[in-house]
């Protein structure tokens, strides 16, 4: 099926006459397709990313995320459809599009020997800033990313979080409208992840649009304003993190029994407050859980009834669906896997 004959995604806003993107959107992709022979990496993918948001692009390995990002960053030509980033068509105006974007990959891009300040000044000169402007911009970014005190140290002495913040600073030399982040916290410890998360939030607050790919679903949940799940090259679903979790069910009450013999009694109690389906019994974990509507009333009733029956339990509590559960429900696979390497057959856009 050609891009022109593929039915439009109703969630995608209409493209204004002349192909110019609407002012609300930093990224517009319509019918984006990429094939290598008989293999379809992207299959008429539509995206509409508003300005100034963090947009999560999630999916299992081989789903098309990396191919999509490479097209949107002008590193790969699509075989069908079109994409506009920062107001410029990535195929017809690749140079102009590159001036509106920043890209931070999985591997550090900074020099390990030069100081943080010299690194940023070097990137400024590579982006054709004169020496004075490059120094000024480096100072601004060091302050913005909390690296002023470490400005004259080499990145080789930095913690993982500090080095990643320097990477982000380097990608912001020209204050891009759109920043693409590919697995930004892979390999970082919890403190480093928190540092990078705060830097990303600050960028979004300042008006930068961030497109994020990650296998850490808690990261996508905390950072993203909207999330699109892709599988087999197609967008399967898109919503806010709350909306995605709400779509697969509401709150659940969960009880961990003390003894296997207590499981039938626990299941009988939960059946009285279950929303619709019967309680799920996980015998190996001694766990019983059920969906409920009124979470507090259900928890109160279950606790009272178990006490009245004299049934002792190890744990009882309420939990809500997670993005992991959404991911598994939608794609049928785990989000935690190894990021695929590029193949030699990939065509680099010029």
């Amino acid at each position: 099926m050609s891009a022109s004959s593929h039915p439009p995604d109703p969630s995608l806003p209409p493209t204004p006459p002349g192909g110019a993107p609407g002012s609300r959107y930093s990224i517009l992709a319509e019918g984006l397709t990429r094939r290598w022979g008989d293999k379809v990496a992207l299959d008429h993918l539509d995206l509409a990313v508003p300005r100034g948001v963090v947009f999560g692009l999630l999916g299992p390995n081989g789903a098309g995320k990396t191919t999509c990002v490479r097209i949107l960053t002008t590193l790969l030509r699509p075989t069908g459809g079109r994409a506009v980033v920062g107001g410029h068509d990535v195929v017809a105006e690749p140079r102009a599009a590159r001036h509106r974007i920043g890209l931070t990959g999985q591997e550090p891009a900074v020099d390990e020997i030069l100081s943080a300040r010299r690194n940023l000044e070097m990137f400024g000169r590579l982006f054709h800033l004169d020496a004075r402007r490059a120094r000024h911009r480096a100072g601004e970014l060091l302050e913005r990313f909390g690296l002023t005190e470490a400005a004259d140290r080499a990145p080789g002495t930095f913690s993982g979080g500090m080095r990643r913040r320097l990477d982000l600073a380097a990608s912001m030399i020209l204050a891009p409208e759109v920043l693409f982040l590919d697995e930004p916290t892979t390999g970082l410890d919890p403190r480093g992840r928190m540092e990078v998360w705060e830097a990303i939030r600050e960028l979004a607050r300042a008006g930068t649009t961030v497109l994020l790919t990650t296998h850490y679903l808690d990261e996508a949940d905390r950072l993203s304003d909207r999330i699109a799940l892709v599988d087999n090259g197609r967008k399967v679903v898109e919503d806010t993190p709350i909306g995605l979790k709400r779509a697969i069910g509401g709150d659940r009450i969960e009880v961990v029994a003390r003894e296997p013999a207590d499981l039938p009694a626990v299941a009988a109690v939960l059946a009285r407050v279950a929303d619709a389906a019967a309680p799920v019994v996980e015998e190996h974990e001694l766990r019983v859980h059920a969906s409920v509507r009124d979470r507090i009333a259900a928890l109160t009733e279950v606790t009272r009834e178990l006490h009245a029956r004299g049934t002792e339990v190890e744990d009882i509590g309420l939990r809500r669906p997670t993005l992991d559960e959404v991911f598994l429900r939608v794609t049928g696979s785990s989000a935690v896997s190894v990021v695929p390497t590029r193949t030699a057959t990939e065509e680099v856009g010029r």
Side-chain angles (χ1 to χ4, degrees):
M1 181 182 290
S2 67
S4 61
S5 62
H6 187 76
D9 185 339
S11 70
L12 189 70
T15 302
S23 60
R24 287 182 54 202
Y25 298 94
S26 288
I27 300 173
L28 281 173
E30 297 173 312
L32 208 57
T33 302
R34 175 68 206 192
R35 289 186 171 88
W36 284 286
D38 295 333
K39 180 181 178 182
V40 181
L42 282 184
D43 188 6
H44 300 91
L45 181 73
D46 293 330
L47 288 177
V49 181
R51 295 180 184 275
V53 303
V54 179
F55 189 92
L57 188 65
L58 308 181
N61 284 344
K65 304 185 304 297
T66 299
T67 300
C68 179
V69 170
R70 296 193 70 211
I71 290 174
L72 295 176
T73 54
T74 77
L75 297 176
L76 184 67
R77 289 178 179 270
T79 51
R82 68 189 293 263
V84 176
V85 178
H88 298 281
D89 189 292
V90 298
V91 173
E93 307 169 284
R95 289 181 180 273
R98 288 172 195 149
H99 280 286
R100 307 300 293 272
I101 66 176
L103 172 62
T104 299
Q106 295 181 49
E107 299 299 325
V110 297
D111 186 281
E112 295 290 318
I113 299 175
L114 295 177
S115 69
R117 188 187 307 278
R118 291 294 300 277
N119 260 289
L120 295 180
E121 290 176 0
M122 177 186 69
F123 276 98
R125 297 308 300 273
L126 290 173
F127 281 106
H128 307 293
L129 301 181
D130 60 41
R132 184 183 63 81
R133 291 181 62 203
R135 284 195 301 271
H136 180 72
R137 184 60 176 156
E140 287 181 334
L141 290 170
L142 288 166
E143 182 176 357
R144 180 174 187 178
F145 285 91
L147 295 169
T148 302
E149 294 184 2
D152 297 317
R153 289 168 46 195
T157 69
F158 285 8
S159 68
M162 290 172 65
R163 187 177 307 174
R164 206 56 170 150
R165 281 186 279 145
L166 183 60
D167 266 334
L168 289 173
S171 67
M172 296 293 293
I173 288 291
L174 294 184
E177 177 184 333
V178 187
L179 179 62
F180 293 88
L181 299 180
D182 186 15
E183 304 288 340
T185 62
T186 297
L188 296 185
D189 61 24
R191 181 186 180 93
R193 293 182 75 199
M194 291 292 186
E195 291 176 352
V196 173
W197 287 357
E198 183 53 37
I200 294 171
R201 292 188 185 103
E202 180 59 33
L203 290 173
R205 285 193 291 265
T208 298
T209 302
V210 178
L211 190 142
L212 168 74
T213 69
T214 179
H215 282 97
Y216 297 130
L217 297 188
D218 64 324
E219 181 167 275
D221 195 357
R222 294 195 187 194
L223 293 177
S224 301
D225 298 293
R226 293 189 68 80
I227 291 174
L229 281 172
V230 296
D231 197 17
N232 295 316
R234 287 177 173 267
K235 184 173 72 175
V236 181
V237 65
E238 178 187 332
D239 206 337
T240 63
I242 292 176
L244 289 173
K245 289 181 282 188
R246 184 179 294 132
I248 69 166
D251 297 314
R252 287 192 310 211
I253 187 167
E254 184 175 277
V255 178
V256 178
R258 178 162 294 183
E259 302 291 342
D262 294 327
L263 288 173
V266 172
V269 172
L270 262 63
R272 297 178 56 178
V273 298
D275 182 14
V280 176
V281 179
E282 300 175 3
E283 294 184 7
H284 292 295
E285 303 293 332
L286 298 182
R287 182 181 290 112
V288 185
H289 57 85
S291 297
V292 295
R293 287 188 184 275
D294 190 335
R295 56 200 304 264
I296 301 301
L299 179 62
T300 301
E301 182 175 346
V302 167
T303 303
R304 183 185 301 118
E305 181 65 20
L306 288 173
H307 179 73
R309 290 177 176 229
T311 304
E312 296 185 356
V313 299
E314 288 294 327
D315 191 25
I316 184 170
L318 292 164
R319 60 182 297 252
R320 290 176 170 171
T322 66
L323 272 186
D324 297 74
E325 292 170 312
V326 174
F327 194 100
L328 289 167
R329 179 78 63 87
V330 171
T331 69
S333 60
S334 172
V336 180
S337 49
V338 180
V339 178
T341 57
R342 297 173 183 171
T343 64
T345 58
E346 291 182 346
E347 171 192 351
V348 178
R350 302 189 180 200

